[in-house]
Amino acid sequence: MKRIIPCVFITLALILAGSFLPLFGVVGLMLCPVPLCILGCLDGHKHMSIAELMVEATLFLAVSPSMAVYFLVGCAPLSAMMFTLSRKEFKSVKKYSGAESLLVCTGASIFFKLVLLVLFWVFTKRNILVPDMSQMTAIMTQLYGSQPELQETMIRVVALMPYLIPTLLILYCSAEAFMNYSLCHKLTRKLFPKSENYPPELPEFRLWRFPASLIVVSFVSLLLGYFIDSDTWFAGSVFVMNLQVIINVFMFIEGLAVLFWIMDGFRLRRGLRILVCIIAMIPFFWPWLIVIGMSDIVLNIRERIKFGK
C-alpha cells in the first residue's frame, strides 16, 4: 500500500503538467500510464486499480469531468495492457516477445483513442482534431504577418490536418505506446532489480527491421496515387495520402536503425553519436534516411555486411 500514494501523485503531476509547463503538457499526458503500470508490476492489479480509482476521483472532483474521462478511456487501458504483458502469472507473457507486446500496446492505444474521439464527438458534436480555421488564421497572421507568402503556406498546411487524422492518430499512439513501454521496462528493471515482473524487453534499436511486404504496400500506394484523382474520388486520394505518409515514417525509422547500426559498427563516441543524430534530424536528410531504410528492406544490408558488435 505504501507505493499507491506516490504513484497517484506522480500520475496527477504528469497529467496536470500542462497547466504549469505548457510545452511539457502533451508529454506529461503521454507518460501518465507509466507510474500505474510500474505499480501493477510490483504489487499486482488490486493496488493498480485502487490507484487508478484515486486518480480518476481526483480528476473528476478537483479538475474537470472531461479530464477524468480522458484518463479513464485514453490512459488507464494502456497501463492495464502493459501490466497484463508484464506479470509472470499471465500466459500472455510467454506468448509475446517484446516487439509483439509493443504492437499489442499500440493497437490498444489506437482503439481506446478512437473510442475517446467518438465520445468527444457524441457529447460536443466537434472533432477535437480538426483545427478552428479562424483561430489558426489569427495565429498565423500574428506569427507571420510580415511574410504573407509564408503565412498562406502555413494556413494551407493547417487546412490539410483534418485529412491526416488517421496518420496523426497512428503516429501519436505509436509514440505513446513506445515511450510508455520503454520507460516502464527500464525503470522497473533499474529501480526494482529484484522484481520478476516487467514488460518483455524490446530488441536493440539498431536491429529494428520492418517486413519486406512494406515495399509491396509502398509500390501499391504509388500506383493508387497515380491512378486515383482527388477530383473524382476524394476519399480514395485521402486514404492513399495517409498510407504514403505512414509508409515513409516506417522507412525513416528503419533508416535511423541502420544509422545506429553503422555508428555501433564504427564504435563512435557518445559526442559524435549525438552530433550525427542532430544532423539526421535536419529535414534535408530525411529523404536520404527514407532511401536508406527502403534499401535495407530490399537488400537486407545489415545481414550482408558483417561488422560491429
Side-chain angles (χ1 to χ4, degrees):
M1 292 292 290
K2 64 180 181 180
R3 296 192 181 101
I4 292 179
I5 300 300
C7 285
V8 169
F9 274 111
I10 294 173
T11 303
L12 289 172
L14 289 170
I15 294 173
L16 301 176
S19 302
F20 306 98
L21 301 170
L23 295 178
F24 187 73
V26 176
V27 179
L29 283 175
M30 291 177 72
L31 297 181
C32 67
V34 173
L36 297 174
C37 177
I38 294 177
L39 177 65
C41 291
L42 298 176
D43 297 333
H45 69 279
K46 292 183 179 179
H47 287 200
M48 186 182 74
S49 299
I50 293 172
E52 288 181 343
L53 288 174
M54 292 175 67
V55 172
E56 180 69 16
T58 304
L59 291 174
F60 185 83
L61 297 174
V63 183
S64 68
S66 60
M67 185 61 75
V69 172
Y70 178 86
F71 172 77
L72 179 65
V73 181
C75 301
L78 183 56
S79 295
M81 183 59 66
M82 291 191 296
F83 155 77
T84 304
L85 295 166
S86 303
R87 297 289 293 187
K88 296 301 181 183
E89 62 263 29
F90 293 117
K91 295 181 180 180
S92 57
V93 176
K94 301 177 182 179
K95 186 167 55 177
Y96 294 122
S97 65
E100 292 168 336
S101 299
L102 178 59
L103 185 62
V104 171
C105 290
T106 302
S109 179
I110 293 173
F111 174 77
F112 285 104
K113 291 299 187 299
L114 283 173
V115 173
L116 188 66
L117 290 175
V118 171
L119 289 175
F120 188 86
W121 181 82
V122 168
F123 288 106
T124 65
K125 302 300 180 183
R126 187 170 68 89
N127 189 341
I128 193 174
L129 295 179
V130 177
D132 185 341
M133 290 310 300
S134 60
Q135 182 181 7
M136 293 307 301
T137 301
I139 294 174
M140 295 304 168
T141 302
Q142 184 178 359
L143 292 176
Y144 307 108
S146 59
Q147 300 173 300
E149 294 183 358
L150 182 57
Q151 175 188 340
E152 184 65 25
T153 300
M154 294 304 296
I155 290 175
R156 289 179 180 176
V157 171
V158 172
L160 285 175
M161 296 292 284
Y163 306 115
L164 291 172
I165 286 176
T167 296
L168 296 175
L169 181 66
I170 291 173
L171 295 182
Y172 176 87
C173 293
S174 300
E176 180 187 49
F178 173 73
M179 292 169 63
N180 280 277
Y181 190 95
S182 300
L183 277 176
C184 186
H185 174 85
K186 291 180 180 179
L187 290 177
T188 305
R189 295 299 305 275
K190 186 173 183 178
L191 299 178
F192 308 98
K194 295 182 180 180
S195 174
E196 296 182 354
N197 301 304
Y198 47 83
E201 187 174 6
L202 290 171
E204 295 181 59
F205 181 66
R206 67 188 184 90
L207 300 178
W208 281 27
R209 177 177 284 107
F210 294 104
S213 57
L214 189 64
I215 297 296
V216 178
V217 177
S218 176
F219 180 72
V220 171
S221 71
L222 290 175
L223 287 179
L224 291 175
Y226 180 78
F227 288 108
I228 294 178
D229 186 6
S230 60
D231 294 330
T232 57
W233 191 21
F234 183 73
S237 65
V238 170
F239 169 78
V240 172
M241 177 177 63
N242 281 274
L243 182 61
Q244 290 176 345
V245 172
I246 293 172
I247 291 172
N248 285 335
V249 170
F250 285 158
M251 291 185 178
F252 176 82
I253 293 173
E254 178 127 359
L256 275 181
V258 174
L259 184 63
F260 273 70
W261 173 77
I262 292 173
M263 289 192 291
D264 273 2
F266 286 106
R267 295 180 173 85
L268 295 185
R269 295 183 178 180
R270 179 175 296 181
L272 285 175
R273 288 172 183 259
I274 294 174
L275 178 61
V276 171
C277 290
I278 292 174
I279 294 174
M281 290 300 104
I282 298 174
F284 173 79
F285 294 100
W286 294 353
W288 296 102
L289 286 172
I290 292 174
V291 171
I292 291 173
M294 184 184 301
S295 302
D296 184 60
I297 294 175
V298 174
L299 302 176
N300 206 1
I301 296 172
R302 286 173 285 178
E303 287 295 328
R304 294 177 181 272
I305 301 176
K306 302 292 183 181
F307 77 116
K309 297 178 182 179

